[in-house]
Amino acid sequence: MSSRVCGRVLQRLQTAGSPPAASWSRIRAGSWGCCRVQTGTRSEPRRGLSGSGRSTMNVFNRDMKKRQKNWAATLQDGNQYDYLRDEVGGRVADRVYDIARTFPLALDVGAGKSHIAEHLSKDVVERLFLTDVSQETLKRRRQSEIPTQCVQADEEFLPFKENTFDLVLSSLSLHWINDLPGALRQIHQVLKPDGVFIGAMVGGETLYELRCSLQLAETEREGGFSPHVSPYTAVTDLGNLLGRAGFNMLTVDVDDVQVHYPGITEVMTDLQEMYGNEDGSIPATFEILYLIGWKPHESQAKPAKRGSATASFGDLSKINRPSPRET
């Protein structure tokens, strides 16, 4: 990227508007080293991990996040910006359907406009509680056939008793939590034994096109860069975090979604010089991390004891090998 283009990226950040809605495609993103390692740069902040010997870093002002969500909920055209939440909410619901049981009582943490419930039926979830820090957002929730009750509550402080819910859901909310390990422990606490938590959050490779472009531009001009995108959790950390919170039978998978923006703002014009498509659209990749964890119960299957195996990996080479008599 030339110095002229780098300068325009930095200068136009102040005046760029929000991009319009976008089309969808699913991809598998590779590793982008320029987003991870920079010589002589100012490192991006990371959220502290409770119990790791470090205090939790308050990266996100929760009161400010509440005001932002209240403002966004009052926008007349706000629904046209819900495409990512709608898509991921549907994929979280798909994972609920994969479990062959009915959940009498469920909780959606950071539900927003209830982007999951509209994809579920009352045959799967009989009753649902929605929580969100924004009352205005809850007022504009999507309609569903499931009996629903709304509770204004911060995701970091759940106002429910222990062993209350059969299912806890969360979609695209946990990446704004300061103390993610603490939030996972609270979710584990409000679940009944043998209850399941199914969530989705934004991962560490999200918006690598934007982050790489900004880092290169600022490094050329100033010899280092400051973070312009929120810090995210790496997929490699999630299994450990769920285990420390008390969950077992863990599942973590990644789904990369690439959004193609049809309109071109001034900032996107600069970004197009590095990542633009032949059709003129500009991609933005979102790494979505899906996590599933169960609260332990005596009825759950237990792993076999160490050393109890009756066959070794060395025996696999003998499979389908003809015996000496057959030859």
Side-chain angles (χ1 to χ4, degrees), residues 89-323:
R91 299 184 187 188
V92 171
D94 287 342
R95 287 161 170 79
V96 177
Y97 281 109
D98 288 339
I99 302 174
R101 68 166 63 177
T102 297
F103 299 96
L105 185 61
L107 169 67
D108 188 348
V109 177
K113 298 177 183 177
S114 189
H115 301 274
I116 303 176
E118 62 178 337
H119 301 284
L120 296 172
S121 70
K122 60 183 178 182
D123 295 331
V124 177
V125 175
E126 295 179 349
R127 292 175 56 211
L128 177 65
F129 274 75
L130 305 177
T131 69
D132 197 274
V133 69
S134 167
Q135 185 67 33
E136 293 298 324
T137 303
L138 289 174
K139 289 179 181 178
R140 291 160 177 80
R141 65 187 180 277
R142 307 288 177 81
Q143 295 300 315
S144 74
E145 63 181 47
I146 303 173
T148 301
Q149 183 171 344
C150 296
V151 177
Q152 183 181 4
D154 195 310
E155 295 93 330
E156 295 186 348
F157 304 99
L158 298 181
F160 303 105
K161 294 182 179 179
E162 187 176 359
N163 303 327
T164 298
F165 298 98
D166 305 279
L167 168 69
V168 175
L169 304 169
S170 181
S171 180
L172 299 186
S173 174
L174 295 180
H175 57 277
W176 282 324
I177 299 297
N178 287 305
D179 184 9
L180 181 57
L184 292 176
R185 285 194 296 268
Q186 290 189 61
I187 291 173
H188 179 274
Q189 184 176 21
V190 301
L191 273 173
K192 294 179 180 177
D194 200 33
V196 61
F197 167 56
I198 303 177
M201 60 187 296
V202 174
E205 294 298 317
T206 293
L207 296 178
Y208 65 81
E209 301 96 340
L210 174 62
R211 289 188 286 113
C212 285
S213 299
L214 292 176
Q215 289 175 12
L216 288 173
E218 196 168 4
T219 298
E220 281 196 21
R221 289 179 62 87
E222 300 183 8
F225 66 87
S226 299
H228 298 284
V229 178
S230 299
Y232 299 124
T233 301
V235 63
T236 53
D237 295 332
L238 280 184
N240 181 46
L241 291 175
L242 288 169
R244 285 166 50 188
F247 291 98
N248 62 7
M249 299 192 296
L250 309 178
T251 301
V252 177
D253 63 290
V254 183
D255 197 3
D256 292 339
V257 179
Q258 190 173 83
V259 180
H260 295 268
Y261 292 85
I264 300 179
T265 62
E266 291 181 336
V267 172
M268 290 301 179
T269 300
D270 286 328
L271 299 181
Q272 186 182 24
E273 300 197 23
M274 290 187 65
Y275 297 105
N277 298 319
E278 293 182 359
D279 62 0
S281 65
I282 302 164
T285 302
F286 296 85
E287 181 186 52
I288 309 299
L289 311 181
Y290 297 91
L291 47 157
I292 301 177
W294 294 77
K295 189 167 183 175
H297 187 263
E298 58 184 9
S299 65
Q300 296 171 350
K302 303 295 190 299
K305 293 183 179 180
R306 185 178 180 86
S308 62
T310 58
S312 67
F313 284 109
D315 296 333
L316 296 177
S317 61
K318 302 176 183 178
I319 297 177
N320 294 330
R321 180 183 297 177
S323 63

